């Protein structure tokens, strides 16, 4: 994380509120195993929010099956809602998507 916002929950609050996997993914740049996450194959209509700060990030109408095992979206709910991080580990180029409000 680059900067700390005073209005965002602290580490101890997040450890109480989030599951260990949610904490690992959002705070430690972890990744769920493909095809195992709660939302990878969900088709219910709705809005996807950041689990840390509640920011609306994606609408289900922009979700598609990228055959990668993680939720994939072709459009966010607005400019500046998400940030992209290039990951070149493991001998490949991947793009991590984070909430721009709380990273």
């Amino acid at each position: 994380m680059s900067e700390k916002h005073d209005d965002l929950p602290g580490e101890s609050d997040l450890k109480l509120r989030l599951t260990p996997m949610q904490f690992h993914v959002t705070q430690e740049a972890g990744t769920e195993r493909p095809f195992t996450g709660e939302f990878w194959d969900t088709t219910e209509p709705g809005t996807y929010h950041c689990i840390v700060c509640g920011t609306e990030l994606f609408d289900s109408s922009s979700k598609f099956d990228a055959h990668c095992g993680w939720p994939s979206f072709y459009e966010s709910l607005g400019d500046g809602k998400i940030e992209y991080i290039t990951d070149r580990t493991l001998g490949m180029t991947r793009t991590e998507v984070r909430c721009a409000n709380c990273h």
Side-chain angles (χ1 to χ4, degrees), residues 19-94:
T19 68
M21 180 56 74
Q22 290 168 337
F23 186 87
H24 178 61
V25 169
T26 63
Q27 305 304 300
E28 301 171 331
T31 304
E32 297 172 317
R33 287 187 338 229
F35 306 102
T36 64
E38 179 181 359
F39 299 107
W40 79 270
D41 67 346
T42 299
T43 58
E44 296 293 319
T47 304
Y48 290 80
H49 296 79
C50 174
I51 198 163
V52 172
C53 70
T55 297
E56 292 182 336
L57 301 175
F58 302 100
D59 185 83
S60 61
S61 64
S62 69
K63 190 173 186 232
F64 69 98
D65 185 359
H67 305 287
C68 64
W70 293 288
S72 299
F73 302 88
Y74 61 81
E75 181 177 54
S76 71
L77 280 174
D79 290 340
K81 295 270 188 176
I82 58 173
E83 62 185 7
Y84 300 94
I85 311 295
T86 300
D87 178 0
R88 291 190 172 88
T89 60
L90 305 175
M92 63 183 95
T93 301
R94 299 176 294 174

